[in-house]
Amino acid sequence: MRKYSPKNDVQQKSYYTDRFYVAPTLDKAPVSNDSTFASDCSSLANVVEIKESYIQAGHLVIYVDSKDNVKAIKHLKEIRAYNFMMELSAIDYVSTQNGFEVFYEMLSVSKHKRIRVKCFVGCDDAIASVEPLFRMADWSEREMYDMYGITIKNHPYMKRILMPDDWQGHPLLKSYPLIGDEAAQWYEVDKIFGKEARDIVGPELRDAAQVERYDTQRFSRLGHEVPKGTDITTNEPETPIRYQEEGGVQLFGKKLVTPFDEIETKHLEERK
Amino acid sequence: MQQINRLKPFFENITFDRDDNTMVVNFGPQHPSAHGQLRLVLELQGEEITKAYPDVGYLHRGMEKMGENMIYNEFLPTTDRMDYIAATSNNYGYALAVEKLIGVEAPRRAEVIRTMLLEINRIISHLFWLATHALDVGAMSVFLYAFREREYAMDLMEDYCGARLTHSAVRIGGVPLDLPNDFIYNMEKFMVILTEQLEVYEGLLNKNRIWRMRLENVGVMSPEMCAQWGVSGIALRGSGVKWDLRREMPYGLYPELDFDVPTSDKCDSYGRYLCTMQEMRESMKILKQLVPMYKESDTQLMANSPEYISCTKEEMMTQNYSLMQHFVLVTQGMRPPVGEIYVATESPKGELGFYINSDGSPYPYKLKLRAPSFWHTGLLQDLLPGHQLADVVTIIGNLNIVFGEIDR
């Protein structure tokens, strides 16, 4: 039976994995290993409930409830001196856990430490904006919405940022194919020529590696050149490959014969 | 086939006819001073900007999506296309993140070569910034001078890897090649010339009345504003915060190197200009220290880690199992441990971070590229109001934004 492939994760997968392969894990150290992180954690625990915390690759990772995200970040910023938020994004776990993991990457310039606050947001839930605390979240959360479609509460100007405003779908979702979905291949056609011209224009070719055999409009027939726009669906002309050295180089209608030509041609003849 | 007026521009909530005195101006996305595809919608009161709305995304190629569909080595050349002015800094940032994830350290000679390339790239980027910024502000001759020196630096890069802009000169686990024979000699010659030339540039600009009038007290960013917008790099140091990741959270060879971190308390465009000029000198200081380090180092160029990194050519050609493992690594890709990592490096533009979430498969589960220019552009909506229209060009040029990394 053919292998079942899930519809909500259409990303590239490894074509072969050893049945007995167990992936190693990046070490997770307890928070007590680092005194700064330990005091950060115990201080934060007074304000919000910490679900899980550990140190991985020098970062303190803290899991909090998605309702507590603003509270936790406000505490870390104002009391624990994590005064920079460097990055903010989400990870798609729709196919396995029906939700997203949102992470906030914070930096303390005075302590030289980095912290990652994470929370889980269900597909139907919304997350509160941290824009009042960090202005940079204005753009980051717009990007997060644009790429994942996560609803954000209290954002001052929620609008797509990288994709066009009337784009359909959210490109970084695992369910979104790499070359775009059906709406994507009609997007520019509709925009430029109008919906009614769909039959004439046809969908946009979004797979850059695809070569259509009978297409003579694009540069897809390398080595088998025919004049542009020729209809070759019925009798495809054979294009023999010729070596330029055979019989000298043709230049402006005049044949240039060099002393090497004859010897070269002989070699070619022998090879044939 | 195309119908007239079919392609209608899409102005979101902007009305161009106003009852009051304000006027809405569309700046870009093809404006030569926008340094790429930046569209700025500006609301003007006379010549003064009352509202600014930067619109990005015209160069969006979906690199994060591409990264999720590529094996780790395959994605490396794509990182070139982020900050294409200083491609090696992206390559290095990505390679370092993957190396930290798989727990591999590059050999010393590779690290020396990488640091050399990084600093040459920093000089290239800063020279490019100086040239285009000066051109925007009206100093045409500085553009010509700075581009001449940049060409020599690009020749150095070309000598090493054959490419001028998109180098891909760093690999995960080391570098592919040793330095060519006369590289160090040429680099030293270049540094002598650049030292002289920097004085020429400064002679043209530092006391230039027009230059100072157009830069001083323009684009003033307080340290609080920088913290709000996650500003990093020279933009942050120009606001008096002494924060350079090479010094504060060092990586690679930087703990061993002696260099200063120039800062400026002026918080304006002129202060950032001074910092950039000084940083080029510091980069040369680093390059000079790297020369003896290179000569002392062992010749190994790639880390030895059979599980993740292909073996040497010699082993590949002689050992059966090495060849098999190489084949697996090329066709299937390495499988890093399960875990997540965020590695930040100091690129010429600011903090360049790579967040990788690995689920143990050859494809990253999530790849987030933290490009400094993204927030340096977002900042414009708070920074531009209150300035004159002519200052927009100065501020955009001065913040050193590159659209390859904003839109990714």
Side-chain angles (χ1 to χ4, degrees):
Chain A
M1 188 182 139
R2 211 176 299 177
K3 206 177 155 193
Y4 174 74
S5 60
K7 290 283 173 291
N8 49 11
D9 186 357
V10 291
Q11 303 306 300
Q12 185 86 268
K13 293 278 180 300
S14 182
Y15 66 89
Y16 173 76
T17 304
D18 183 12
R19 274 194 294 165
F20 304 107
Y21 176 75
V22 179
T25 314
L26 205 63
D27 288 339
K28 287 179 185 173
V31 180
S32 52
N33 278 12
D34 188 301
S35 58
T36 324
F37 284 154
S39 63
D40 287 338
C41 252
S42 58
S43 162
L44 186 65
N46 297 331
V47 188
V48 295
E49 183 204 348
I50 297 177
K51 288 180 172 171
E52 196 190 344
S53 60
Y54 53 86
I55 300 173
Q56 194 175 42
H59 275 51
L60 173 62
V61 185
I62 300 174
Y63 284 85
V64 297
D65 195 83
S66 64
K67 290 183 185 71
D68 296 335
N69 68 332
V70 176
K71 240 198 243 172
I73 286 162
K74 192 178 168 104
H75 182 80
L76 287 171
K77 183 197 173 190
E78 283 164 9
I79 315 287
R80 303 308 300 175
Y82 284 90
N83 52 346
F84 275 76
M85 183 175 285
M86 293 328 273
E87 181 61 285
L88 175 174
S89 191
I91 309 164
D92 180 349
Y93 288 113
V94 175
S95 57
T96 48
Q97 296 163 48
N98 195 31
F100 302 92
E101 211 170 69
V102 177
F103 66 89
Y104 301 91
E105 188 72 48
M106 298 172 81
L107 164 74
S108 170
V109 166
S110 51
K111 294 196 244 181
H112 294 73
K113 291 282 184 197
R114 287 182 193 273
I115 251 186
R116 189 180 304 130
V117 181
K118 300 183 95 178
C119 49
F120 187 81
V121 194
C123 279
D124 306 327
D125 291 349
I127 190 159
S129 168
V130 295
E131 195 271 341
L133 298 169
F134 289 101
R135 278 289 281 133
M136 60 76 72
D138 180 357
W139 273 35
S140 293
E141 283 173 349
R142 275 175 67 186
E143 192 193 341
M144 189 161 88
Y145 162 72
D146 191 0
M147 293 294 146
Y148 291 99
I150 300 173
T151 322
I152 291 142
K153 285 182 284 190
N154 305 329
H155 190 280
Y157 189 50
M158 182 43 69
K159 199 167 89 71
R160 282 184 185 268
I161 188 163
L162 293 175
M163 303 305 287
D165 285 18
D166 48 353
W167 191 261
Q168 285 188 22
H170 298 278
L172 268 183
L173 287 174
K174 293 276 174 195
S175 55
Y176 197 89
L178 178 65
I179 61 166
D181 57 7
E182 205 191 324
Q185 66 182 359
W186 291 111
Y187 180 81
E188 286 197 350
V189 177
D190 288 359
K191 266 257 137 97
I192 298 170
F193 302 105
K195 259 202 172 79
E196 58 276 13
R198 276 190 179 193
D199 288 343
I200 309 164
V201 183
E204 186 193 337
L205 177 65
R206 290 182 66 85
D207 185 355
Q210 192 187 328
V211 174
E212 275 181 35
R213 189 173 171 192
Y214 300 122
D215 180 11
T216 52
Q217 295 286 345
R218 302 187 185 87
F219 292 102
S220 53
R221 293 180 57 80
L222 286 177
H224 301 276
E225 288 92 345
V226 287
K228 190 186 173 195
T230 319
D231 181 24
I232 49 168
T233 43
T234 45
N235 49 345
E236 200 175 351
E238 200 171 313
T239 324
I241 296 174
R242 282 213 187 86
Y243 293 98
Q244 207 177 30
E245 294 89 334
E246 277 176 290
V249 181
Q250 199 89 21
L251 193 69
F252 304 123
K254 194 185 161 198
K255 196 186 262 185
L256 287 180
V257 183
T258 56
F260 302 104
D261 274 347
E262 281 175 17
I263 310 162
E264 284 287 310
T265 318
K266 221 179 234 173
H267 279 296
L268 277 171
E269 292 300 328
E270 276 166 24
R271 252 195 292 164
K272 279 179 192 168
Chain B
M1 197 158 26
Q2 185 171 1
Q3 292 157 37
I4 298 156
N5 293 335
R6 189 70 231 186
L7 185 64
K8 290 200 181 90
F10 190 70
F11 299 111
E12 41 306 272
N13 308 327
I14 300 166
T15 42
F16 285 86
D17 301 320
R18 295 287 179 119
D19 295 333
D20 51 4
N21 255 339
T22 57
M23 180 167 72
V24 176
V25 168
N26 200 20
F27 180 100
Q30 299 294 352
H31 194 283
S33 297
H35 285 228
Q37 317 314 103
L38 169 67
R39 174 175 170 230
L40 262 176
V41 182
L42 302 168
E43 193 189 80
L44 300 174
Q45 176 83 49
E47 287 239 342
E48 195 187 305
I49 294 155
T50 49
K51 242 186 226 171
Y53 167 72
D55 186 9
V56 298
Y58 290 91
L59 202 61
H60 180 57
R61 292 149 293 177
M63 281 199 183
E64 284 150 15
K65 186 79 177 172
M66 283 156 76
E68 283 176 19
N69 289 282
M70 285 182 184
I71 61 173
Y72 286 86
N73 276 319
E74 205 180 349
F75 184 63
L76 197 121
T78 317
T79 58
D80 279 339
R81 277 82 182 161
M82 284 175 66
D83 176 3
Y84 42 78
I85 304 298
T88 301
S89 60
N90 309 321
N91 299 155
Y92 181 75
Y94 177 66
L96 193 72
V98 180
E99 280 164 21
K100 289 256 168 78
L101 181 64
I102 59 180
V104 164
E105 222 171 86
R108 189 163 171 86
R109 172 158 285 195
E111 205 56 69
V112 173
I113 295 173
R114 284 169 168 201
T115 318
M116 271 184 191
L117 299 179
L118 280 177
E119 293 308 322
I120 293 173
N121 244 267
R122 197 177 303 275
I123 292 172
I124 289 176
S125 168
H126 286 356
L127 282 175
F128 183 88
W129 170 84
L130 179 71
T132 51
H133 182 33
L135 184 68
D136 288 347
V137 176
M140 177 88 189
S141 24
V142 179
F143 168 77
L144 298 171
Y145 287 128
F147 255 60
R148 182 183 59 197
E149 259 39 70
R150 179 170 172 267
E151 280 302 308
Y152 290 118
M154 303 245 281
D155 284 350
L156 278 177
M157 290 305 299
E158 201 178 344
D159 279 350
Y160 178 68
C161 63
R164 285 158 54 82
L165 278 179
T166 48
H167 308 129
S168 301
V170 174
R171 297 283 187 277
I172 297 166
V175 288
L177 300 161
D178 208 343
L179 293 180
N181 281 336
D182 47 356
F183 187 86
I184 289 187
Y185 171 75
N186 286 338
M187 191 174 81
E188 279 167 342
K189 208 164 72 180
F190 165 70
M191 284 195 284
V192 172
I193 297 167
L194 185 65
T195 316
E196 290 167 12
Q197 289 298 318
L198 281 179
E199 275 165 31
V200 174
Y201 308 151
E202 290 186 337
L204 281 168
L205 293 175
N206 270 11
K207 288 180 186 164
N208 186 326
R209 241 175 347 141
I210 304 169
W211 178 254
R212 291 188 72 139
M213 275 165 70
R214 296 221 41 194
L215 263 70
E216 274 177 335
N217 295 321
V218 168
V220 178
M221 298 197 296
S222 64
E224 292 75 41
M225 190 180 181
C226 292
Q228 278 284 321
W229 273 101
V231 169
S232 49
I234 289 178
L236 183 60
R237 293 193 283 278
S239 295
V241 183
K242 199 167 185 171
W243 183 261
D244 187 324
L245 287 173
R246 293 177 292 169
R247 174 55 51 83
E248 306 298 335
M249 295 173 106
Y251 49 89
L253 280 182
Y254 287 110
E256 299 172 36
L257 295 164
D258 173 43
F259 61 98
D260 293 331
V261 179
T263 57
S264 162
D265 291 332
K266 294 187 170 176
C267 304
D268 62 356
S269 302
Y270 190 69
R272 295 194 280 274
Y273 155 73
L274 292 178
C275 283
T276 318
M277 296 307 273
Q278 210 49 45
E279 254 197 42
M280 280 194 258
R281 296 204 169 88
E282 297 305 323
S283 289
M284 284 197 278
K285 213 156 117 189
I286 294 173
L287 284 174
K288 275 174 199 146
Q289 293 168 49
L290 286 170
V291 174
M293 280 181 167
Y294 171 77
K295 285 174 180 157
E296 285 158 19
S297 59
D298 193 31
T299 53
Q300 194 189 349
L301 289 175
M302 288 293 279
N304 185 20
S305 168
E307 207 180 330
Y308 300 116
I309 292 159
S310 286
C311 52
T312 60
K313 203 83 182 170
E314 192 193 341
E315 273 177 54
M316 216 180 282
M317 295 304 186
T318 49
Q319 311 284 316
N320 194 6
Y321 280 89
S322 298
L323 181 66
M324 284 158 68
Q325 179 67 4
H326 171 67
F327 185 73
V328 169
L329 285 175
V330 169
T331 54
Q332 296 180 19
M334 65 168 91
R335 290 164 197 266
V338 180
E340 52 182 1
I341 200 156
Y342 175 81
V343 176
T345 53
E346 184 77 25
S347 89
K349 312 281 181 298
E351 177 178 320
L352 180 72
F354 284 85
Y355 171 86
I356 300 174
N357 187 314
S358 158
D359 61 347
S361 74
Y363 302 92
Y365 192 76
K366 161 83 184 168
L367 182 72
K368 183 77 181 82
L369 318 172
R370 194 255 178 223
S373 297
F374 185 72
W375 290 283
H376 292 177
T377 314
L379 174 78
L380 291 176
Q381 53 184 298
D382 286 0
L383 188 60
L384 289 182
H387 283 93
Q388 301 295 309
L389 180 59
D391 293 338
V392 172
V393 171
T394 312
I395 291 169
I396 294 173
N398 196 278
L399 284 174
N400 200 3
I401 50 181
V402 168
F403 273 78
E405 64 173 13
I406 294 169
D407 297 342
R408 299 182 297 276

